[in-house]
């Protein structure tokens, strides 16, 4: 167990170092950092002095080391565009992205798993075919297109449709920004106001749809696999109720891969949030990153990269460790393979 | 000697015969049989062919040329589709904010989307296959280096990597130069974000093939490793690669559309489907829905058709499912 944890930790550190290296190269070799900091009337001597003061003349390894030490302390420099520390900018934007991602992940999980179970149990049912068709469309529609369609339906056309029908079928939902937010310490939350919660609905559905279809298909195929196994046949032979067999035995055993995939997908939800944020002008980290790319704001780009890298590495690590805890077979295999039983 | 002069192609049948033979084998194959048995796949194939054909012959097919400034008139802007009030017979699906016909921009847009898609899949394929072959055939340190790089890249979703490479290119290249080479930048960005899948698949197969007798025999008679990989190992790993390529085409088209939608892909002057949707999205509340919806539907239909083809190809080539 310990050897496994240590090896995984070393791997994670290696990935972070690689990501850090890319971010550092961005900082130092894309354009001249001095040029980005000073005005046009700065003399060459002043530039040289600033260069020395900032340590930009030091050897590569020294600079990289200093960058890493600062990054660990949460210091990513100053945004060229906003003239403020990047860490501050990101801290302001992070709650918006994380709230959106978490709500989307919950939606994906709590709608996707039941849909998957249903389609797995009723393979030929009409509703299953409907779910599968929806999921195929969900995979084929790009995220931003889903967002635009939702905005058109619930933001633009809902009133026309309602007045045409004579009763209100579709609610009018906010399609822009976060609504009212409340400050809880440094965290700004949209969960405490009605407009904040309403504003979350469309973006989170947009973000969740793709992951939902993924989870549904995964649960379905796992269910189909498990239902064929001998222990399920045996459980039926013992005369257990369908409910006990399907949920107590079958579903439980499908959950291991589901946990892994959902965990790993949490990372891509945070990354994909930047598309959703652009569509709904959601003031999160992704929107900050897109603006940074358009304005070539290197410190923001580099630190977003480091942040996302960190999220991914931590999530991967936690998922791997969880896997180890949840699935006893893995432990046994490793113990046998390692030669001590 | 005399026999050789009479029949120079004595070693095998003539080219014409060979083509007929291959065609015959194709129509006798399981794949063709499974193709004719599923109407959904036939429809998808037809749709894909229509898209490819329309984009290849865009200047002949499109009712008007959206890039020819002499035919565009700003007075024609925001004309609704033909079946709505105020529609114009010249513009079947209406016009956008600059008076370009939506149908024509969709046809030219698919041309750019598919062009970027095919090119980036090809690039990812060549890169991934080469690295995978080297990795699997030689093993050792070089294998470890390539596979660790793949591991690091797999930690991030492809769209993020494409976005980053594209952003970097913007930062490094001067603006004028970038607006000339955007096509290559996009192909590079999308291609680099997809190579890992090919490399891993090919590496796995190459490691198996390496130890088979025919490869050992080739090595014994002194064929250089490069030729062994290209002529003997590669043909045996192409099946799965083609399946990945088909599914990747759909993802590449989506990625390009997403990048363009985010405003970092194709420039506004030569719009792809994603750029068109972005343009339409600037006017969501003024009722000009056709600018967004038609390119969106075109994109969705194209991706769905290619996805279905890819799924079918995967199942049809998988001997376990027969």
């Amino acid at each position: 167990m310990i050897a496994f944890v240590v090896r995984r930790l070393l791997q994670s550190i290696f990935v972070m170092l690689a990501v850090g290296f890319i971010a550092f190269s961005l900082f130092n070799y894309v354009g001249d950092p001095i040029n980005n900091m000073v005005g046009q009337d700065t003399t060459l001597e002043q530039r040289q002095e600033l260069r020395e003061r900032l340590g930009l003349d030091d050897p590569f390894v020294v600079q990289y080391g200093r960058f890493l030490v600062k990054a660990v302390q949460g210091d990513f420099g100053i945004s060229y565009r906003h003239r403020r520390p990047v860490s501050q900018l990101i801290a302001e934007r992070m709650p918006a992205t994380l709230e959106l991602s978490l709500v989307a992940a919950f939606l994906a999980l709590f709608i996707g798993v039941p849909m998957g179970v249903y389609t797995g149990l009723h393979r030929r049912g009409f509703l299953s075919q409907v779910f599968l068709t929806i999921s195929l469309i969900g995979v084929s529609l790009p995220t931003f297109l889903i967002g635009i369609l939702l905005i058109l339906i619930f933001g633009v056309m809902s009133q026309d449709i309602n007045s045409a029908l004579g009763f209100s079928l579709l609610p009018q939902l906010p399609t822009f920004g976060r609504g009212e937010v409340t400050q809880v310490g440094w965290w700004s939350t949209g969960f405490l106001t009605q407009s904040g919660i309403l504003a979350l609905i469309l973006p989170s559905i947009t973000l969740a749809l793709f992951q939902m279809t993924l989870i549904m298909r995964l649960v379905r195929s796992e269910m189909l696999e498990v239902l064929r196994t001998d222990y399920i046949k045996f459980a039926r032979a013992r005369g257990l109720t369908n409910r006990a067999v399907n949920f107590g035995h079958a579903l439980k055993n499908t959950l291991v891969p589901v946990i892994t995939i959902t965990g790993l997908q949490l990372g891509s939800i945070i990354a994909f949030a930047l598309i959703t944020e652009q569509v709904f002008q959601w003031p999160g980290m992704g929107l900050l990153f897109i603006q940074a790319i358009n304005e070539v704001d290197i410190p923001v780009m580099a630190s977003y990269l480091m942040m996302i890298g960190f999220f991914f590495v931590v999530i991967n690590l936690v998922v791997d460790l969880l896997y180890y805890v949840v699935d006893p077979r893995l432990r046994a295999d490793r113990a046998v393979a390692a030669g001590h039983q | 000697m005399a026999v050789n002069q009479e029949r120079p192609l004595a070693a095998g049948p003539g080219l014409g015969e060979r083509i007929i033979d291959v065609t015959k084998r194709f129509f006798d194959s399981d794949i063709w049989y499974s193709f004719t048995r599923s109407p959904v796949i036939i429809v998808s194939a037809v749709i894909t062919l229509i898209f490819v054909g329309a984009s290849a012959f865009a200047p002949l097919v499109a009712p008007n040329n959206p890039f020819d400034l002499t035919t565009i008139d700003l007075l024609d802007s925001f004309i609704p589709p033909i079946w709505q009030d105020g529609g114009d017979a010249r513009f079947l699906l209406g016009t956008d904010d600059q008076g370009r016909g939506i149908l024509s921009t969709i046809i030219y847009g698919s041309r750019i989307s598919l062009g970027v898609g095919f090119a980036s899949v090809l690039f990812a394929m060549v890169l991934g296959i080469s690295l995978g072959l080297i990795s699997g055939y030689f093993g050792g340190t070089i294998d470890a280096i390539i596979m660790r790089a793949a591991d690091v890249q797999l930690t991030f979703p492809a769209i993020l990597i494409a976005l980053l490479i594209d952003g970097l290119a913007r930062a490094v290249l001067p603006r004028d130069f970038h607006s000339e080479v955007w096509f290559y930048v996009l192909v590079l960005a999308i291609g680099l974000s997809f190579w890992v899948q090919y490399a891993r698949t090919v590496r796995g197969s190459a490691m198996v093939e390496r130890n088979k007798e025919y490869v050992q025999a080739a090595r014994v008679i002194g064929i250089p490793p490069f030729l062994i990989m290209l002529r003997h190992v590669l043909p045996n790993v192409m099946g799965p690669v083609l399946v990945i390529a088909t599914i990747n085409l759909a993802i590449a088209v989506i990625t390009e559309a997403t990048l363009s939608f985010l405003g970092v892909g194709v420039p506004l002057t030569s719009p792809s489907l994603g750029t068109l949707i972005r343009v339409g999205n600037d006017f969501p509340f003024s009722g000009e829905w056709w600018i967004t919806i038609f390119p969106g539907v075109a994109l969705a239909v194209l991706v769905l058709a290619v996805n279905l083809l890819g799924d079918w190809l995967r199942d049809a080539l998988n001997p376990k499912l027969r």
Side-chain angles (χ1 to χ4, degrees):
Chain A
M1 173 76 191
I2 289 172
F4 173 71
V5 172
V6 169
R7 198 165 60 229
R8 274 307 274 111
L9 269 178
L10 282 179
Q11 234 171 32
S12 311
I13 291 171
F14 173 73
V15 171
M16 271 325 283
L17 282 180
V19 173
F21 181 76
I22 297 172
F24 169 72
S25 320
L26 265 179
F27 248 131
N28 275 38
Y29 300 108
V30 177
D32 183 358
I34 297 292
N35 259 348
N36 288 311
M37 282 178 221
V38 297
Q40 281 191 331
D41 48 355
T42 319
T43 62
L44 281 177
E45 288 79 36
Q46 283 171 321
R47 283 172 195 242
Q48 188 56 34
E49 192 199 289
L50 185 62
R51 203 180 294 271
E52 269 163 31
R53 194 149 49 94
L54 291 175
L56 293 176
D57 277 348
D58 292 342
F60 176 81
V61 183
V62 176
Q63 287 196 48
Y64 181 43
R66 196 183 309 127
F67 172 82
L68 284 181
V69 170
K70 275 191 176 172
V72 168
Q73 293 165 348
D75 179 3
F76 292 102
I78 293 168
S79 157
Y80 296 158
R81 161 100 186 152
H82 299 271
R83 306 272 162 206
R84 288 171 52 201
V86 177
S87 49
Q88 212 178 333
L89 281 173
I90 288 198
E92 267 170 28
R93 300 293 197 103
M94 196 158 56
T97 298
L98 285 187
E99 281 186 1
L100 176 62
S101 306
L102 282 180
V103 171
F106 269 107
L107 274 183
L109 202 58
F110 286 103
I111 300 176
V113 172
M115 272 167 85
V117 171
Y118 183 86
T119 48
L121 290 178
H122 308 271
R123 278 187 72 179
R124 310 242 171 260
F126 174 71
L127 207 53
S128 302
Q129 300 301 323
V130 173
F131 284 162
L132 284 178
T133 313
I134 292 175
S135 84
L136 197 63
I137 296 172
V139 172
S140 297
L141 277 181
T143 314
F144 67 94
L145 207 54
I146 295 171
I148 291 175
L149 286 181
L150 286 180
I151 291 181
L152 271 179
I153 294 171
F154 288 99
V156 183
M157 285 149 76
S158 63
Q159 279 173 333
D160 293 345
I161 294 174
N162 286 343
S163 59
L165 287 171
F167 61 93
S168 87
L169 173 75
L170 299 172
Q172 173 100 18
L173 291 171
T175 58
F176 185 87
R178 280 185 88 188
E180 257 176 78
V181 291
T182 326
Q183 287 288 338
V184 180
W186 62 274
W187 187 277
S188 67
T189 176
F191 286 133
L192 299 177
T193 59
Q194 198 196 354
S195 75
I197 290 173
L198 282 179
L200 256 172
I201 296 176
L202 291 185
S204 56
I205 291 177
T206 307
L207 190 52
L209 207 59
F210 181 77
Q211 315 294 338
M212 194 173 88
T213 54
L214 200 73
I215 291 178
M216 184 196 112
R217 286 174 161 244
L218 180 74
V219 172
R220 174 174 178 272
S221 64
E222 287 292 325
M223 279 296 272
L224 290 177
E225 195 112 314
V226 170
L227 284 175
R228 271 202 295 263
T229 54
D230 287 343
Y231 66 83
I232 293 295
K233 282 181 198 148
F234 183 65
R236 288 204 197 286
R238 269 162 68 206
L240 294 182
T241 57
N242 272 338
R243 197 189 153 87
V245 175
N246 291 341
F247 294 96
H249 294 258
L251 181 61
K252 220 175 175 179
N253 279 294
T254 63
L255 285 182
V256 178
V258 173
I259 290 174
T260 330
I261 299 287
T262 315
L264 292 179
Q265 288 302 315
L266 191 63
S268 30
I269 287 182
I270 293 175
F272 271 98
L274 65 87
I275 301 167
T276 314
E277 284 172 12
Q278 171 81 6
V279 176
F280 290 94
Q281 292 298 304
W282 188 265
M285 294 189 296
L287 206 58
L288 189 72
F289 180 61
I290 302 274
Q291 283 164 355
I293 284 188
N294 276 318
E295 291 156 356
V296 197
D297 195 344
I298 304 285
V300 175
M301 281 168 74
S303 42
Y304 179 80
L305 183 70
M306 292 281 284
M307 284 288 304
I308 290 288
F310 183 68
F311 273 128
F312 267 94
V313 166
V314 169
I315 289 168
N316 278 349
L317 187 67
V318 170
V319 166
D320 266 15
L321 295 183
L322 260 186
Y323 208 90
Y324 201 79
V325 175
V326 170
D327 193 344
R329 281 170 302 181
L330 210 61
R331 269 172 286 174
D333 285 351
R334 274 180 201 280
V336 173
H340 43 81
Q341 273 174 308
Chain B
M1 201 60 192
V3 176
N4 266 351
Q5 273 170 350
E6 270 172 29
R7 294 189 57 195
L9 290 173
L15 187 66
E17 279 171 58
R18 240 151 79 193
I19 291 177
I20 293 171
D21 185 45
V22 167
T23 325
K24 218 190 218 162
R25 262 168 57 199
F26 176 70
F27 284 112
D28 281 342
S29 67
D30 292 348
I31 291 183
W32 179 251
Y33 179 79
S34 128
F35 181 78
T36 53
R37 291 297 134 139
S38 46
V40 178
I41 296 311
I42 296 179
V43 172
S44 316
V46 169
I47 290 175
T48 313
L49 279 181
I50 289 176
F51 266 99
V52 172
S55 13
F57 301 106
L60 304 175
V61 179
N64 31 46
N65 183 352
F67 303 126
D68 185 2
L69 290 174
T70 53
T71 62
I72 302 174
D73 191 346
L74 268 183
L75 291 176
D76 288 336
S77 58
F78 296 126
I79 294 179
I82 194 162
W83 56 88
Q84 282 200 338
D85 289 342
D88 189 322
R90 283 176 301 153
F91 306 109
L92 202 58
L93 300 179
T95 59
D96 67 358
D97 58 331
Q98 297 174 34
R100 301 183 288 205
I102 296 288
L103 181 60
S104 308
T105 46
I106 286 179
I107 292 173
Y108 276 88
S110 324
R111 184 186 180 132
I112 291 169
S113 293
L114 277 176
V116 173
F118 275 120
S120 47
V121 166
L122 200 67
F123 176 61
M125 218 162 103
V126 171
L127 184 68
I129 289 177
S130 323
L131 289 178
L133 276 180
I134 292 171
S135 203
Y137 188 81
F138 290 116
T141 320
I142 191 157
D143 174 40
I145 292 174
I146 293 175
M147 283 303 121
R148 285 299 84 70
D151 285 348
V152 173
Q153 180 164 346
L154 265 195
T155 328
F156 301 96
I159 179 89
L160 206 63
I161 292 176
L163 197 59
L164 191 80
I165 296 173
D166 197 71
L168 265 182
R170 252 155 222 281
V172 177
L173 301 174
R175 197 163 284 240
D176 298 341
F177 187 59
H178 183 267
S179 58
E180 275 171 35
V181 295
W182 59 265
F183 183 83
Y184 304 100
V185 171
L186 264 183
V187 168
L188 192 77
I190 300 176
L192 278 181
S193 58
F194 285 136
W195 68 272
V196 176
Q197 255 182 311
Y198 298 97
R200 286 197 157 189
T201 312
V202 170
R203 172 178 176 263
S205 313
M207 280 166 73
V208 175
E209 300 295 326
R210 175 180 61 181
N211 296 325
K212 289 205 178 147
E213 279 167 0
Y214 72 92
V215 176
Q216 284 175 356
R219 211 178 295 154
V220 167
I221 60 173
I223 299 177
F226 173 72
L227 276 185
I228 297 182
M229 281 193 269
L230 206 65
R231 284 223 201 112
H232 302 276
V233 181
L234 183 61
N236 286 302
V237 301
M238 275 314 273
V241 166
L242 283 181
V243 173
I244 300 178
T246 318
I247 296 173
N248 250 349
L249 178 64
I251 307 176
V253 169
I254 288 190
T255 309
E256 181 276 320
T258 307
L259 289 178
S260 299
F261 174 77
L262 294 175
V264 293
V266 178
L268 281 172
T269 44
S270 46
S272 74
L273 291 176
T275 327
L276 293 177
I277 297 168
R278 172 186 168 82
V279 170
N281 196 38
D282 289 343
F283 321 96
F285 295 100
S286 50
E288 279 100 17
W289 53 271
W290 57 88
I291 305 178
T292 312
I293 294 294
F294 290 130
V297 169
L299 178 66
V301 168
L302 172 64
V303 171
L304 186 63
V306 176
N307 260 338
L308 285 170
L309 276 182
D311 278 356
W312 164 76
L313 200 61
R314 184 185 54 202
D315 292 349
L317 288 180
N318 187 349
K320 276 189 211 151
L321 287 178
R322 281 201 196 123

